[in-house]
Structure formats: structure tokens, C-alpha cells
């Protein structure tokens, strides 16, 4: 059986899941099951190199085949310099934030991939855009169509103007209330884009007390 070279973009939960298995997202497990011993994970591209190294190290320690020669890269250009010959990837799984997609240089992951690795197939997890203006998405689609790139989208772009008002989720919710015993409660919930993944804190305040639970979804929450 011939090896099937795979390249990942992104060291986040969507591609690799949570260490404690609490998230339903983990494309790496699905790829491992599908390809079996054919899997050859040639590279992982992420700006957080130490995090990427930890992911591959854990795969090796678990004895999962296909990660023996995986290289870590900080950019697609860096990966293209090394992944040549029999290491050229046939498939790239893209798990990057929406801001990394489009036609602007430096924020054009799909276009850069097909330029550096002609003939590569793409699996795109994140939405290509959260903006009402879909022209960047259309620009990416045009390039992939012209190059004949095999592409699969896990999540399609959404026209928010067609979402019923009762089905919309507010971008920001801030609520404060008072309990019958005199205590106060508050809730702040936001759907915002930033450089991190998830930021969650639960805070309880009372006379003489303040308790803050940080990252309750993490493997090591802090109190």
C-alpha cells in the first residue's frame, strides 16, 4: 500500500481535539481510522510551534502510526521548502480562524497552499468568512475552481440576512440579577473573534469572598 501524505494547518481543537477527549471535534482521529497504515503525516503548520510539537509528541507516545517523520512548520512557505519529492502532501486539512482565509496576502491559506503544492486536495473546516461581504470567499472559490482543486467544506458560509430574528444569537449578552436572599448574579457572554481559542470564567462574589473559576473546559481549570 502506498503512503498517503497529509498536511495539517492549525494546532487547535478542531483538528486535534481536547487532551481529555471532552470535545466532539477531532479530525486527526477520523483521518487515522480512514487511512490506517497508509497515513503519513508529513507536516503540521502553526505559529505556536511548541503547541504543535506537543501534539505530535503525544501521537508518537500513543504509538499511532503515521507520525514518525512529521515536521513542524511556522508557515506554509516554510513547509513548501522542506516537503518535496516523496513528502509532497496530497491532502491538507485546514483548521484556521476565519481571518486566515481570503485573497489578501498573508491571509490566504487556501490560495497559498494550491500555489505551493499544485494538485493538493483541501478539507476546510472553519467558515471562510463571517462578514456580510462575500467577495473574499468568492475570490477563493474562483481560484480553486480555476485550478481544479478538489475541495470539501465542513462549514459553509452563512448569509446572516436570511437568518430569522428569533434564531439569531446575540453577539454580546450582559445580564445582572438579584436573588431573593440578596445576592447578585451576572452573566457576560460574547461571540467575538480574537487570537485565542475559548475564554471562559465563572466568578462568584459574596461578602468577604470572591471565587473565580478560569477555563472550566480545559484539562486543568484554575480556581
Amino acid at each position: 500500500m502506498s503512503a498517503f501524505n497529509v498536511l495539517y494547518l492549525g494546532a487547535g481543537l478542531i483538528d486535534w481535539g481536547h487532551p481529555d477527549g471532552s470535545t466532539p471535534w477531532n479530525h486527526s482521529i477520523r483521518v487515522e481510522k480512514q487511512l490506517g497504515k497508509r497515513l503519513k503525516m508529513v507536516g503540521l503548520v502553526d505559529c505556536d510551534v511548541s503547541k504543535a510539537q506537543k501534539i505530535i509528541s503525544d501521537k508518537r507516545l500513543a504509538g499511532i502510526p503515521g507520525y514518525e517523520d512529521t515536521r513542524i512548520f511556522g508557515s506554509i512557505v516554510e513547509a513548501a521548502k522542506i516537503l518535496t519529492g516523496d513528502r509532497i502532501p496530497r491532502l491538507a486539512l485546514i483548521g484556521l480562524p476565519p481571518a486566515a482565509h481570503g485573497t489578501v496576502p498573508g491571509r490566504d491559506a487556501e490560495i497559498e497552499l494550491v500555489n505551493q503544492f499544485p494538485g493538493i486536495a483541501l478539507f476546510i473546516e472553519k467558515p471562510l468568512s463571517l462578514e456580510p461581504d462575500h467577495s473574499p470567499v468568492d475570490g477563493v472559490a474562483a481560484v480553486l475552481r480555476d485550478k481544479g482543486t478538489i475541495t470539501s467544506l465542513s462549514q459553509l458560509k452563512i448569509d446572516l440576512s436570511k437568518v430569522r430574528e428569533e434564531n439569531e444569537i446575540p453577539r454580546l449578552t450582559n445580564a445582572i440579577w438579584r436573588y431573593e436572599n440578596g445576592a447578585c448574579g451576572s452573566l457576560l457572554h460574547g461571540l467575538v473573534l480574537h487570537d485565542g481559542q475559548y475564554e471562559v470564567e465563572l466568578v462568584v462574589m459574596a461578602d468577604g469572598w470572591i471565587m473565580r473559576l478560569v477555563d472550566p473546559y480545559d484539562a486543568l481549570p484554575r480556581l
Side-chain angles (χ1 to χ4, degrees):
M1 294 184 295
S2 60
F4 193 97
N5 295 350
V6 178
L7 175 68
Y8 278 86
L9 267 66
L13 297 179
I14 199 70
D15 279 337
W16 305 100
H18 198 284
D20 65 3
S22 61
T23 59
W25 320 289
N26 191 328
H27 291 315
S28 67
I29 290 180
R30 296 177 175 87
V31 172
E32 290 158 10
K33 291 180 178 179
Q34 183 69 28
L35 294 178
K37 294 182 179 180
R38 294 185 62 202
L39 172 63
K40 185 176 182 181
M41 230 288 277
V42 293
L44 171 55
V45 178
D46 197 278
C47 57
D48 190 339
V49 174
S50 61
K51 181 178 181 181
Q53 290 173 335
K54 176 67 166 54
I55 288 173
I56 301 305
S57 177
D58 288 346
K59 290 288 187 180
R60 290 171 178 165
L61 288 174
I64 300 173
Y67 295 87
E68 295 81 4
D69 300 315
T70 304
R71 298 285 299 270
I72 306 299
F73 305 103
S75 68
I76 297 173
V77 172
E78 182 183 343
K81 293 178 181 179
I82 303 297
L83 301 180
T84 59
D86 62 356
R87 295 181 60 81
I88 294 177
R90 296 175 58 183
L91 169 67
L93 288 91
I94 306 174
L96 300 175
H101 306 275
T103 56
V104 178
R107 298 171 58 184
D108 57 346
E110 292 81 12
I111 295 175
E112 191 170 5
L113 273 171
V114 297
N115 286 336
Q116 296 288 351
F117 301 105
I120 193 170
L122 304 181
F123 178 87
I124 306 170
E125 169 58 41
K126 293 288 185 180
L128 290 179
S129 175
L130 295 178
E131 301 297 330
D133 178 12
H134 292 162
S135 57
V137 178
D138 296 334
V140 173
V143 171
L144 300 183
R145 182 172 55 250
D146 291 343
K147 291 183 175 291
T149 304
I150 298 174
T151 306
S152 175
L153 295 179
S154 175
Q155 299 181 26
L156 302 178
K157 65 182 182 181
I158 298 175
D159 186 351
L160 297 179
S161 66
K162 297 181 180 178
V163 178
R164 293 182 179 179
E165 184 176 354
E166 62 269 21
N167 294 330
E168 292 183 3
I169 301 176
R171 289 295 301 273
L172 185 67
T173 300
N174 189 9
I176 300 175
W177 62 92
R178 184 182 182 88
Y179 294 99
E180 292 181 354
N181 62 4
C184 290
S186 65
L187 170 69
L188 176 62
H189 177 267
L191 298 175
V192 294
L193 301 177
H194 50 80
D195 292 335
Q197 295 179 348
Y198 302 101
E199 292 184 3
V200 181
E201 289 188 6
L202 299 176
V203 182
V204 177
M205 292 183 290
D207 292 339
W209 293 90
I210 179 169
M211 293 172 284
R212 180 180 289 108
L213 179 62
V214 181
D215 289 337
Y217 301 117
D218 193 74
L220 297 172
R222 305 187 303 276
L223 179 61

